[in-house]
């Protein structure tokens, strides 16, 4: 499977995603700079975390206007895969490729720590190798990760099984204490109705190697690869 | 009058006279501004230089001592560079941007020499956290580090936070950064090649930070002075782009030398590169990108606007470098060239506004200052401990220690920092005595990083206190399985012109130098911050040590957490009957008295060698050094981080408060599978390290029996709640 990792000025998890895809999963990966316009040779586009364009104005708000994002729209329309992590998720929301919006964490502080995620939907190319309700330990690191959607959108997300991850206790229970940022219904990750675009706040690329604190992130990348054979 | 202007800029009358004699005439306003910043303590170290020569420059690992940042070679061809710097006064005046620009500046020192920054650490000191001012500063400084460090994608992996009323009017913000570079790719700050163009990189120049180093950093705080305009404003997004652009530009090989425009901005970067290369330089500041068109020449030369660099480029390759800067939407402008006459010449639109020998700027006068033992030292050291009785309730005393902001869990701080970006953080903050990073560029190696200083010990005895800072930093990295390899320092003291303030500085430098020589640790870089005092009080002497250790095999790293039920709990080293300078004494009696714990360098080395060999042999489940709060706190922390209880049986004739809470140095608590004990005993015998079996990991309670009497019995989960919640509770 051929991967593109987008690089906006201010992206800072681009090298981490590249490292996991290339050195851990041994897949072909290219960096694609924000002013490029063609993604046709890639199967999956990764929009990494960071502070694209300094996150001035609003997280992801400037990045959506960059030339490469038109190519991402075309890539999605062609049914190919996109995963947006952290700032990448924010960019996907701003670009309208996923529903809802992101606001400042309810604690008003940046939060970097390990959280527990329950896998709500395994019917996506990103989670098909994960057991339903499996609890994954994956870190978050963001200041604006409080997911918000109105009632109608939430209902649709749930009806179409688009909620992919929720913040839970280590035992797998949705609780207010398990929610690091105040996201509505503890939502940590969602996909689009067509199921080829995933946005998630936690960072699977930070926990995909034995040496690091957890390897749970790897199952997301392995799910992607499982579909390509 | 020019002399009045010189005094207003913080110069001494004698310094002004020296400038006149160098130039053979009265200086222009711009020239005066340039001398004032370059000769300030912050840039030129005129008052500390003679003593800093005592620091050793060599150790087991090949070291390079640098002006921007020095480093150690962890394997042939691969260097870890690191440096620490203070941003105390800016942070006191404007905590968020003061701290943020501290991060920006130190990170630039790392990539200036061609290294990719891979970690930051912070050593912070504030007044009593129960006061609103301390909370405001603490909140703002942490927010500033979070704001800047997170955005630039460099993880903040370790550090320390301390609170003491002595820092009430003068907080300390020491920021350390670490980078990795192939030795072949290291770039110097030595400007060379007559005719080579001089290129300005990065942000445009504004009026922020004018006089930051000469006025703000090189004087005591007066009451109610308005110094906010001297603080710089940081833009981490530009810094991130500057990191990528510089590293990309350095790969071309077209950059001869590069220097960060930090303190003293354009003045420092031009004259220091020229002086280092023994050449001259001519620049036209009419070409400098400005934020405000009407800036005076002296303002342009003194501005400390952030995220700017100055490089000397091989002639003919300007376009190549400028195109890389443009790719990252940064300014790249040729503003001058290297000349052969040794003169620093500043033009503005063709008219000379300053001209002087470049070397004269980079060679400030040296002062040999008098020192005199402060009168308080004898009194505090003579404290009689027999007047202090043991606590009635040891459980309560332990809980008090665990909720002291100095000892409490620092999650409220480090969870605001991205400490995992770059995916190298193998031992996360709070999990071990130091953070451990893998080095992706190496053959399976890792590094351990820590900062350390107990300023109460330094207040009680600056020589011993400074030695302990080195010893404890080294012990910290040993406890995660690393061999201590090199240090940087950030020496924060009061006004050196007062002999009783200069004395602790002198003694601390001697202490560091002697300890480093003994441990064979090179001091690769560092920073001195004087004038940390206000009208009402001075700070405790605070020589902060940043230390880097090397793990030959990063898989063999250790944490402090007890891991297995049934593991033996063992103390390496001896406990002495010492309460001087302890956190327990401070919390229970509000006393900072006695002598600090004694430090025997031979014992220290023996304990460290024993622990390191056991760690490298894979014998240990955990290791944690005894520091603030003594043995009881060390044990409690291993319990709480591991979620295990422990049952200890201690035998001793000494005071029980000293046994539990005394802060004897050179002690490490380890845990291990019982079957591995003989192997540890034989290593301990070879290293002549005392070894005491304290008990075992069991259940969910922390219990301590002393001479068959149980004096501590606590549920670990309850202690954990107190410990983890203490700072958040105070910050609500």
């Amino acid at each position: 499977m051929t991967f593109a990792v987008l690089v906006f000025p201010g992206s800072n998890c681009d090298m981490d995603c590249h490292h996991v895809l290339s050195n851990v999963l041994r897949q072909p990966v290219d960096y694609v700079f924000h002013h490029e316009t063609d993604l046709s040779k890639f199967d999956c586009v990764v929009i990494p975390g960071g502070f694209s364009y300094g996150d001035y104005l609003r997280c992801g708000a400037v990045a959506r206007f960059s030339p490469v994002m038109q190519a991402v729209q075309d890539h999605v329309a062609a049914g190919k895969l996109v995963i947006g992590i952290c700032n990448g998720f924010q960019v996907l929301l701003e670009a309208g490729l996923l529903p809802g919006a992101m606001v400042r964490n309810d604690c008003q502080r940046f939060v970097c720590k390990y959280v527990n995620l329950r896998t709500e939907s395994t019917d996506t190319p990103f989670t098909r190798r994960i057991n339903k309700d499996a609890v994954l330990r994956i870190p978050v690191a963001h200041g604006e990760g409080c997911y918000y959607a109105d009632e109608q959108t939430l209902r649709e997300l749930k009806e179409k099984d688009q909620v992919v991850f929720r913040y839970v206790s280590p035992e797998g229970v949705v609780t207010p204490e398990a929610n690091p940022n105040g996201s509505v219904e503890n939502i940590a990750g969602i996909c689009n109705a067509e199921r080829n675009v995933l946005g998630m706040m936690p960072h699977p690329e930070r926990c995909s190697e034995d040496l690091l604190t957890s390897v749970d992130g790897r199952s997301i990348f392995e799910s992607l690869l499982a579909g390509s054979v | 009058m020019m002399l009045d202007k010189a005094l207003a800029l913080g110069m001494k009358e004698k310094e002004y006279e020296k400038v006149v004699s160098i130039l053979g005439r009265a200086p222009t306003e711009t020239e005066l501004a340039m001398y004032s910043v370059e000769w300030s303590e912050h840039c030129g170290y005129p008052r500390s230089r003679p003593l800093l020569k005592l620091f050793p420059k060599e150790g087991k690992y090949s070291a390079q001592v640098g002006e921007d940042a020095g480093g150690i070679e962890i394997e042939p061809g691969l260097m870890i560079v690191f440096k620490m710097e203070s941003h105390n006064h800016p942070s006191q005046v404007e905590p968020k941007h003061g701290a943020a620009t501290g991060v920006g500046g130190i990170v630039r020192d790392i990539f200036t020499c061609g290294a990719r920054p891979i970690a930051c650490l912070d050593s912070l000191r504030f007044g009593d956290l129960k006061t609103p001012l301390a909370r405001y500063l603490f909140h703002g400084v942490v927010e500033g580090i979070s704001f800047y460090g997170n955005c630039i994608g460099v993880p903040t992996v370790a550090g320390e936070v301390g609170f003491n009323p002595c820092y009430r009017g003068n907080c300390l913000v020491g920021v350390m950064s670490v980078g990795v570079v192939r030795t072949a790719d290291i770039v110097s700050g030595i400007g060379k090649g007559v005719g080579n163009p001089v290129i300005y990189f990065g942000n445009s120049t504004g009026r922020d930070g004018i006089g930051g180093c000469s006025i703000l950093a090189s004087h005591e705080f007066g009451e109610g002075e308005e110094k906010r305009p001297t603080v710089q404003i940081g833009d981490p997004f530009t810094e991130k782009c500057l990191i990528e652009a510089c590293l990309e530009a350095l790969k071309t090989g077209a950059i001869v030398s590069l220097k960060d425009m930090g303190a003293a901005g354009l003045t420092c970067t031009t004259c220091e590169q020229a002086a280092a290369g023994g050449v001259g330089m001519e620049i036209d500041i009419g070409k400098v990108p400005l934020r405000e068109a009407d800036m005076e020449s002296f303002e342009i030369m003194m501005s400390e606007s952030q995220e700017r660099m100055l490089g000397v480029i091989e002639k003919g390759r300007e376009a190549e470098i400028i195109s890389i800067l443009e790719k990252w939407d940064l300014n790249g402008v040729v503003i001058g060239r290297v000349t052969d006459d040794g003169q620093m010449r500043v033009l503005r639109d063709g008219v000379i506004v300053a001209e002087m020998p470049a070397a004269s700027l980079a060679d400030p006068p040296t002062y040999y200052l008098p020192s005199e033992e402060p009168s308080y030292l004898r009194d505090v050291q003579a404290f009689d401990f027999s007047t202090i009785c043991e606590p009635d309730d040891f459980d309560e005393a332990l809980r008090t220690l665990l909720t002291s902001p100095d000892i409490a869990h620092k999650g409220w701080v480090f969870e605001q920092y991205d400490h995992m970006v770059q995916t190298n953080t193998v031992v996360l903050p709070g999990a071990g005595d130091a953070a451990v990073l893998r080095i992706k560029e190496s053959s399976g190696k890792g590094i351990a990083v820590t900062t350390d200083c107990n300023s109460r010990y330094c207040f009680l005895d600056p020589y011993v206190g400074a030695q302990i800072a080195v010893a404890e930093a080294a012990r910290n990295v040993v406890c995660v399985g690393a061999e201590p390899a090199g240090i940087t320092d950030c020496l924060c003291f009061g006004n050196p012109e007062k002999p009783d303030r200069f004395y602790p500085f002198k003694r601390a430098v001697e202490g560091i130098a002697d300890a480093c020589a003994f441990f064979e640790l090179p001091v690769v870089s560092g920073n001195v911050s004087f004038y940390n005092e206000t009208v009402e009080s001075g700070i405790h002497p605070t020589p902060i040590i940043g230390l880097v250790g090397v793990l030959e095999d990063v898989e063999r790293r250790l944490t402090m957490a007890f891991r297995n039920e049934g593991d033996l709990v063992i103390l390496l080293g001896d406990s002495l009957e010492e309460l001087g300078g302890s956190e327990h004494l401070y919390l229970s009696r509000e006393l900072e008295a006695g002598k600090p714990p004694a430090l025997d360098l031979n014992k220290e080395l023996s304990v460290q060698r024993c622990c390191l060999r056991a760690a490298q042999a894979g014998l240990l489940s955990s290791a944690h050094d005894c520091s603030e709060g003594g043995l009881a706190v060390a044990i409690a922390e291993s319990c709480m981080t591991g979620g295990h209880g422990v049952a200890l049986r201690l035998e001793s004739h000494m005071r029980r408060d000293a046994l539990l809470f005394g802060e004897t140095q050179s002690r490490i608590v380890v845990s291990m599978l019982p079957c591995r004990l003989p192997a540890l005993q034989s290593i301990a015998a070879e290293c002549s390290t005392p070894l005491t079996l304290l008990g075992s990991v069991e259940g969910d309670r922390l219990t301590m029996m002393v001479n068959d009497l149980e004096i501590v019995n606590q549920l670990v989960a309850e202690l954990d709640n107190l410990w983890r919640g203490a700072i958040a509770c105070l910050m609500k």
Side-chain angles (χ1 to χ4, degrees):
Chain A
M1 184 172 252
T2 319
F3 288 86
V5 174
L6 303 192
V7 181
F8 298 104
S11 294
N12 66 26
C13 301
D14 46 339
M15 284 176 253
D16 301 349
C17 292
H18 192 283
H19 167 72
V20 169
L21 293 167
S22 158
N23 299 330
V24 181
L25 296 158
R26 307 275 165 203
Q27 298 300 308
V29 199
D30 282 346
Y31 289 115
V32 175
F33 211 55
H34 64 118
H35 54 226
E36 293 188 34
T37 53
D38 181 9
L39 290 166
S40 58
K41 68 174 187 172
F42 300 103
D43 301 312
C44 180
V45 171
V46 180
I47 311 182
F51 291 72
S52 56
Y53 301 92
D55 274 349
Y56 293 131
L57 195 57
R58 201 170 58 241
C59 297
V62 182
R64 65 169 283 215
F65 294 107
S66 66
V68 78
M69 284 309 292
Q70 183 53 52
V72 171
Q73 296 276 3
D74 298 343
H75 180 89
V76 171
K80 297 204 268 185
L81 301 173
V82 176
I83 172 168
I85 300 166
C86 199
N87 191 232
F89 186 9
Q90 294 161 340
V91 172
L92 288 171
L93 293 170
E94 290 288 338
L97 287 165
L98 289 171
M102 211 59 87
V103 297
R104 193 150 169 75
N105 296 348
D106 60 350
C107 63
Q108 303 296 314
R109 292 191 300 271
F110 190 95
V111 175
C112 176
K113 64 177 182 183
Y114 264 90
V115 297
N116 297 290
L117 298 185
R118 190 173 71 198
T119 314
E120 306 290 77
S121 174
T122 56
D123 179 23
T124 78
F126 313 94
T127 52
R128 65 185 142 213
R129 287 283 293 270
I130 305 172
N131 294 328
K132 173 103 172 79
D133 295 335
V135 175
L136 308 178
R137 255 169 67 71
I138 297 187
V140 291
H142 57 247
E144 301 192 17
C146 177
Y147 179 73
Y148 175 78
D150 59 29
E151 287 293 327
Q152 161 99 19
T153 309
L154 271 180
R155 199 173 326 117
E156 282 174 23
L157 281 174
K158 286 186 280 192
E159 276 168 15
K160 294 183 185 161
D161 191 27
Q162 286 173 249
V163 177
V164 182
F165 297 111
R166 278 199 166 88
Y167 302 108
V168 293
S169 68
E171 299 75 31
V173 184
V174 170
T175 63
E177 296 74 36
N179 188 341
N181 50 34
S183 289
V184 61
E185 296 191 14
N186 285 35
I187 289 172
I190 58 172
C191 65
N192 60 348
E194 294 73 28
R195 316 193 84 71
N196 62 329
V197 179
L198 171 73
M200 62 189 293
M201 287 314 290
H203 288 270
E205 80 282 9
R206 295 187 179 188
C207 51
S208 292
E209 296 165 83
D210 292 331
L211 197 54
L212 303 176
T213 304
S214 159
V215 290
D216 291 355
R218 198 164 160 165
S219 55
I220 293 169
F221 299 111
E222 283 171 344
S223 292
L224 281 172
L225 300 184
S228 66
V229 286
Chain B
M1 275 296 293
M2 270 301 160
L3 174 59
D4 294 336
K5 282 191 178 163
L7 298 176
L9 287 167
M11 292 180 88
K12 308 273 174 211
E13 192 169 343
K14 281 231 159 71
E15 290 172 341
Y16 176 77
E17 286 164 8
K18 189 168 173 192
V19 169
V20 172
S21 89
I22 290 169
L23 298 176
R25 57 175 166 80
T28 65
E29 203 168 48
T30 306
E31 287 163 347
L32 192 62
M34 292 169 71
Y35 278 107
S36 78
V37 288
E38 275 299 291
W39 287 6
S40 70
E41 185 57 36
H42 192 77
C43 291
Y45 296 114
R47 292 160 189 83
S48 53
R49 249 189 329 184
L51 279 168
L52 299 178
K53 288 182 182 148
L54 296 174
F55 288 154
K57 295 184 167 62
E58 285 168 4
K60 176 183 164 183
Y61 290 86
S62 162
Q64 183 171 315
V65 177
E67 198 175 300
D68 280 323
I72 48 158
E73 201 170 349
I74 63 163
E75 63 182 40
L78 191 66
M79 187 158 268
I80 299 296
V81 297
F82 51 101
K83 188 185 182 189
M84 186 163 19
E85 208 163 71
S86 60
H87 235 216
N88 306 337
H89 285 182
S91 303
Q92 182 78 23
V93 174
E94 212 301 292
K96 179 177 172 184
H97 280 284
T101 52
V103 175
I106 196 67
V107 168
R108 281 194 298 284
D109 277 339
I110 299 300
F111 68 83
T112 292
C113 62
R116 177 168 285 281
I118 57 167
C120 284
L121 298 87
D122 303 291
S123 179
L124 313 178
R125 300 289 186 289
F126 304 94
D128 184 345
L129 200 50
K130 292 196 184 77
T131 62
L133 176 63
R135 285 200 298 273
Y136 157 76
L137 291 170
F138 180 39
H139 189 282
V141 165
V142 172
E143 186 186 6
I145 293 168
S146 169
F147 157 75
Y148 206 101
N150 296 350
C151 183
I152 61 174
V154 179
T156 301
V157 298
E160 37 166 5
V161 190
F163 303 92
N164 188 293
C166 73
Y167 300 112
R168 157 181 68 218
N170 196 129
C171 68
L172 300 186
V173 176
V175 194
M176 173 170 162
S177 187
V178 182
V180 59
V181 61
R182 300 242 166 244
T183 47
D185 298 337
I186 294 176
V187 175
S188 76
I190 303 171
K192 277 185 298 209
V194 174
N196 275 339
V198 174
I199 298 195
Y200 174 110
F201 290 35
N203 238 338
S204 45
T205 296
R207 285 199 164 99
D208 53 330
I210 289 174
C213 62
S214 54
I215 297 168
L216 190 52
S218 300
H219 289 274
E220 289 176 39
F221 271 121
E223 283 301 312
E225 284 181 61
E226 186 46 69
K227 286 179 170 168
R228 201 170 293 247
T230 53
V231 178
Q232 314 85 339
I233 302 298
D235 175 1
F237 170 60
T238 299
E239 176 101 340
K240 170 64 176 161
C241 293
L242 191 61
I243 293 175
E244 300 307 329
C246 284
L247 292 179
E248 199 174 322
L250 286 164
K251 268 191 207 150
T252 63
I255 297 185
V256 176
S257 70
L258 189 63
K259 215 164 164 64
D260 150 44
M261 285 195 236
L266 209 43
T267 299
C268 162
T269 46
T270 48
C271 75
E272 288 184 13
Q273 284 184 89
V279 294
M281 197 176 276
E282 182 175 297
I283 60 166
D284 189 337
I285 54 175
K287 294 179 176 153
V288 169
L290 299 181
R291 286 181 212 160
E292 297 165 82
D294 64 345
M295 285 177 72
E296 301 282 345
S297 298
F298 81 90
E299 291 179 313
I300 297 171
M301 290 308 291
M302 281 174 93
S303 165
E304 294 185 11
S305 288
Q306 299 290 291
E307 296 95 21
R308 303 178 302 159
M309 315 277 273
L310 194 80
V312 173
I313 311 297
E314 280 180 18
K315 198 173 180 181
R317 300 185 70 179
E318 299 88 328
E320 208 178 324
I321 299 302
I322 290 171
S323 76
I324 292 172
L325 291 164
E326 283 174 350
K327 172 184 161 191
W328 291 97
D329 297 318
L330 296 166
N331 290 308
V333 186
V334 175
I335 63 163
R337 62 191 175 86
V338 175
T339 62
D340 63 358
D341 60 3
Q343 290 290 101
M344 179 67 235
R345 202 173 297 113
V346 182
L347 293 84
R348 188 161 194 186
D349 302 322
V351 180
I352 293 179
V353 293
E355 181 169 6
M356 69 273 275
S360 73
L361 278 165
D363 181 29
T366 303
Y367 298 103
Y368 296 88
L369 299 176
S371 76
E372 181 189 313
E373 187 176 311
S375 51
Y376 77 86
L377 267 179
R378 274 163 205 270
D379 298 340
V380 290
Q381 288 184 355
F383 186 78
D384 176 8
F385 284 92
S386 66
T387 61
I388 301 281
C389 36
E390 287 194 346
D392 301 327
D393 183 344
F394 283 88
D395 280 328
E396 181 58 30
L398 176 60
R399 285 194 300 264
T400 304
L401 279 164
L402 294 178
T403 50
S404 146
D406 282 75
I407 291 176
H409 188 256
K410 302 300 187 296
W412 186 88
V413 179
F414 65 70
E415 285 179 1
Q416 295 188 54
Y417 305 152
D418 188 339
H419 50 261
M420 291 185 246
V421 65
Q422 298 194 19
T423 66
N424 295 322
T425 321
V426 172
V427 172
L428 299 175
D433 286 358
V436 175
L437 303 171
R438 66 160 158 192
I439 301 301
K440 288 192 190 108
E441 296 80 355
S442 76
S443 52
K445 288 193 171 62
I447 59 167
V449 290
T450 186
T451 66
D452 209 84
C453 178
N454 182 317
S455 65
R456 187 175 298 137
Y457 299 167
C458 297
F459 166 72
L460 299 174
D461 185 333
Y463 180 81
V464 174
Q467 288 205 316
I468 289 176
V470 175
E472 190 180 336
R475 205 184 311 133
N476 284 340
V477 304
V478 162
C479 285
V480 294
E483 174 158 36
I487 76 165
T488 180
D489 59 58
C490 177
L491 309 175
C492 300
F493 290 81
N495 182 347
E497 290 153 57
K498 299 178 183 169
D500 63 340
R501 298 281 201 262
F502 193 66
Y503 175 88
F505 173 72
K506 180 168 172 281
R507 293 296 288 153
V509 168
E510 288 165 356
I512 293 169
D514 291 349
C516 286
F518 185 85
F519 294 129
E520 297 178 82
L521 287 171
V523 181
V524 304
S525 58
N527 160 247
V528 176
S529 170
F530 282 135
Y531 305 99
N532 290 291
E533 56 184 288
T534 58
V535 177
E536 49 183 285
S537 72
I539 62 161
H540 285 353
T542 315
I544 303 161
I545 301 296
L547 192 142
V548 173
V550 178
L551 292 94
E552 290 299 318
D553 176 2
V554 71
E555 306 260 355
R556 284 277 157 95
R557 81 282 190 188
L558 281 175
T559 63
M560 68 168 79
F562 288 146
R563 277 171 27 201
N564 314 306
E565 179 89 7
D567 269 4
L568 300 179
V569 177
I570 291 152
L571 178 68
L572 303 177
D574 274 331
S575 300
L576 307 176
E577 192 165 42
E578 296 175 310
L579 276 172
S582 66
E583 185 73 12
H584 170 67
L585 191 64
Y586 182 65
L587 292 177
S588 60
R589 309 274 163 167
E590 286 184 33
L591 273 175
E592 299 191 283
K595 287 186 177 163
L599 181 70
D600 178 331
L601 294 172
N602 283 299
K603 270 193 195 172
E604 180 71 45
L605 194 59
S606 136
V607 168
Q608 289 186 20
R609 284 203 170 135
C610 175
C611 183
L612 186 59
R613 277 184 57 189
Q616 287 170 341
L619 296 177
L620 306 178
S621 305
S622 72
H624 186 22
D625 89 309
C626 294
S627 59
E628 287 83 1
L631 179 65
V633 164
I635 295 281
E637 287 174 342
S638 291
C639 287
M640 295 182 296
T641 49
H644 284 285
V646 74
L648 304 189
R649 300 181 75 93
L650 312 174
E651 302 286 333
S652 174
H653 297 297
M654 71 170 81
R655 294 174 61 130
R656 292 176 302 176
D657 50 356
L659 178 66
L660 264 58
F661 309 130
E663 298 178 6
T664 298
Q665 297 299 299
S666 317
R667 294 184 300 167
I668 297 175
V669 173
V670 300
S671 68
M672 66 194 308
L673 294 173
C675 62
R676 291 177 175 159
L677 181 60
L680 179 64
Q681 281 168 326
S682 84
I683 291 174
E686 283 170 34
C687 297
S688 310
T689 307
L691 177 156
T692 314
L693 182 59
L694 301 177
S696 60
V697 176
E698 59 178 68
D700 58 2
R701 304 187 75 85
L702 189 169
T703 63
M704 287 185 168
M705 311 256 288
V706 177
N707 302 332
D708 293 328
L709 183 70
E710 185 177 273
I711 59 169
V712 173
N713 186 337
Q714 293 277 295
L715 199 58
V716 169
E718 280 176 11
L719 293 179
D720 192 49
N721 276 339
L722 290 172
W723 181 61
R724 282 182 205 270
I727 289 182
C729 199
L730 282 163
M731 292 305 290
K732 264 180 193 159

